[in-house]
mmCIF file of all heavy atoms in Angstrom:
data_model
loop_
_atom_site.group_PDB
_atom_site.id
_atom_site.type_symbol
_atom_site.label_atom_id
_atom_site.label_comp_id
_atom_site.label_asym_id
_atom_site.label_seq_id
_atom_site.Cartn_x
_atom_site.Cartn_y
_atom_site.Cartn_z
ATOM 1 N N HIS K 74 0.725 4.692 29.705
ATOM 2 C CA HIS K 74 0.291 4.525 31.061
ATOM 3 C C HIS K 74 -1.228 4.553 31.073
ATOM 4 O O HIS K 74 -1.847 5.592 30.915
ATOM 5 C CB HIS K 74 0.833 5.707 31.985
ATOM 6 C CG HIS K 74 0.485 5.634 33.402
ATOM 7 N ND1 HIS K 74 1.365 5.894 34.441
ATOM 8 C CD2 HIS K 74 -0.697 5.331 34.029
ATOM 9 C CE1 HIS K 74 0.766 5.850 35.623
ATOM 10 N NE2 HIS K 74 -0.531 5.461 35.409
ATOM 11 N N HIS K 76 -4.873 2.449 32.877
ATOM 12 C CA HIS K 76 -5.525 1.428 33.700
ATOM 13 C C HIS K 76 -6.779 1.057 32.985
ATOM 14 O O HIS K 76 -7.873 1.156 33.506
ATOM 15 C CB HIS K 76 -5.838 2.001 35.046
ATOM 16 C CG HIS K 76 -4.666 2.612 35.814
ATOM 17 N ND1 HIS K 76 -4.064 2.029 36.825
ATOM 18 C CD2 HIS K 76 -4.037 3.814 35.603
ATOM 19 C CE1 HIS K 76 -3.043 2.788 37.306
ATOM 20 N NE2 HIS K 76 -3.025 3.919 36.584
ATOM 21 N N HIS K 251 4.625 4.624 39.930
ATOM 22 C CA HIS K 251 3.775 5.831 40.139
ATOM 23 C C HIS K 251 4.463 6.583 41.228
ATOM 24 O O HIS K 251 4.364 6.151 42.372
ATOM 25 C CB HIS K 251 2.377 5.500 40.578
ATOM 26 C CG HIS K 251 1.404 4.913 39.561
ATOM 27 N ND1 HIS K 251 1.581 3.639 38.939
ATOM 28 C CD2 HIS K 251 0.265 5.423 39.097
ATOM 29 C CE1 HIS K 251 0.523 3.426 38.165
ATOM 30 N NE2 HIS K 251 -0.238 4.524 38.197
ATOM 31 N N HIS K 274 3.897 10.308 36.568
ATOM 32 C CA HIS K 274 3.192 11.366 37.351
ATOM 33 C C HIS K 274 4.203 12.530 37.629
ATOM 34 O O HIS K 274 4.173 13.583 36.931
ATOM 35 C CB HIS K 274 2.602 10.942 38.667
ATOM 36 C CG HIS K 274 1.339 10.207 38.540
ATOM 37 N ND1 HIS K 274 0.180 10.752 37.935
ATOM 38 C CD2 HIS K 274 1.031 8.835 38.836
ATOM 39 C CE1 HIS K 274 -0.798 9.769 37.943
ATOM 40 N NE2 HIS K 274 -0.289 8.701 38.427
ATOM 41 N N ASP K 326 -3.213 8.130 31.282
ATOM 42 C CA ASP K 326 -3.555 7.563 32.625
ATOM 43 C C ASP K 326 -5.021 7.057 32.620
ATOM 44 O O ASP K 326 -5.628 6.970 33.707
ATOM 45 C CB ASP K 326 -3.337 8.647 33.720
ATOM 46 C CG ASP K 326 -3.243 8.074 35.106
ATOM 47 O OD1 ASP K 326 -3.113 6.814 35.204
ATOM 48 O OD2 ASP K 326 -3.414 8.767 36.135
HETATM 49 FE FE1 FE X 2 -1.827 5.409 36.976
#
Side-chain angles (χ1 to χ4, degrees):
H74 182 137
H76 305 257
H251 283 67
H274 284 295
D326 198 16

